Every structure is written in C-alpha cells, then in structure tokens.
Amino acid sequence: MSLCPNVFSKRVTQLLVGIVVSSPLWLAACNDSHTQTNPVVAETTDLSVFEGCYTVSSDEPAQIKVSQQDGSWVMQMKEPASAKRVWDNPEPLEMIENSEIPQFFSIDPDNVDAVIGRPDRVLVLAHVKPVYANIDPLLDSEYLSHIYRGANTIYRVECDEVNTDILANPHANIVIDNVNESI
C-alpha cells in the first residue's frame, strides 16, 4: 500500500507542526530550574521546636529565651541583676530557609528540621532531626547555635526567672539574686 506523495507530505507537515507547537510545553514541563520557593516547606516547618530556653552547657541556667509573642517569634537574653529585670527586650526572629544552612553550620541541610534567626543573622538556631542527633557523635544536643561567627551545640533547659552573670566565667555557675525577690 502506498500513499500519494501529496497526502504523505500533508501528513508529515501536520506531524511536524504538531511537534513544533507542543515541544515548548514539553520543555517547560521538564524544566527543573524553578525560581519560586516551595511554599509547602515553609508552611510545614514547625518553629515551635524552638520555644523555650537555652544555654551553652546543660548544667547552667538559661541564657536565651525563644517565644512567640503577638504571632511573631522573638528572642530575649538574660539581663544582669543591675538591670532590675530578668530578660531584655524581645528581638524579632524569622524562619530561615534550609538552603542557607551551609552559611552557618557544617551539617547537611537534609538533617535539619527548622532554622530560625535574627534578621541580621547575628544569632541563628537550628533544630537537628532527633534521629540524626542520636547517630552523630559530634552532637550531644538537637539544637545548634550560630552566634556572630561561631557555631556550637546548645542545650534546651527549663526557663527560670533568676539573673545570671553571663559575663563572668560561664562554668562558675554564679547565680545572682532573683530580681523578683530583691524588689
């Protein structure tokens, strides 16, 4: 069976036009370079893992408090007793994308649940997935902190209302009178 050259030419032309017209759609569907962020990741990131108090050694009083106030995440630092209050004014925190993790920590971003930090990035906190924290011998806490230019593990501890002299030797366990009791 043979096709007439005119009919064959017409069908080949239709096929080629169909390929040319639909190929941009195929290419667009296969393009992996999306410029927008994945909104599902941002919506499912649970920043409540940061709510609480932290210190650099598990046997010391709290030095940093992270809480949610008026729908926003904030951090506060302990004040010396001379300030007549326990915590300083709240500073805003914001969620940080996992793609920024290598700027602050030498950990695979896939092993981190959430990252939060000050807008100026002077303080950044990361919550390591518990499974990873249990198998990495360099981690003895699920929390990492990046303060100014140094990174370290930090410990989540009970919040307290006792002033500490954080400028003194941090391992001396110096506790100053509770501000609320001295008033």
Side-chain angles (χ1 to χ4, degrees), residues 18-132:
I19 291 172
V20 169
V21 168
S22 62
S23 63
L25 297 174
W26 291 335
L27 292 174
C30 295
N31 188 356
D32 285 334
S33 62
H34 297 200
T35 56
Q36 69 185 88
T37 58
N38 186 350
V40 175
V41 172
E43 291 173 9
T44 60
T45 301
D46 182 13
L47 297 179
S48 70
V49 296
F50 295 111
E51 191 159 17
C53 291
Y54 300 89
T55 187
V56 294
S57 177
S58 61
D59 60 351
E60 294 178 11
Q63 297 173 358
I64 299 172
K65 179 166 49 172
V66 175
S67 61
Q68 196 170 19
Q69 295 179 8
D70 300 324
S72 297
W73 289 97
V74 297
M75 65 157 288
Q76 293 172 273
M77 297 287 294
K78 279 272 180 95
E79 291 273 52
S82 62
K84 302 296 182 205
R85 63 183 183 173
V86 177
W87 299 101
D88 69 357
N89 295 330
E91 294 285 332
L93 295 172
E94 61 188 22
M95 187 186 82
I96 298 174
E97 296 295 327
N98 278 19
S99 62
E100 292 185 52
I101 289 173
Q103 295 174 36
F104 309 107
F105 307 107
S106 58
I107 188 169
D108 185 339
D110 291 338
N111 297 319
V112 176
D113 285 330
V115 185
I116 194 170
R118 287 178 32 162
D120 61 7
R121 303 301 193 253
V122 170
L123 172 78
V124 176
L125 300 175
H127 181 256
V128 178
K129 292 178 181 176
V131 171
Y132 184 76

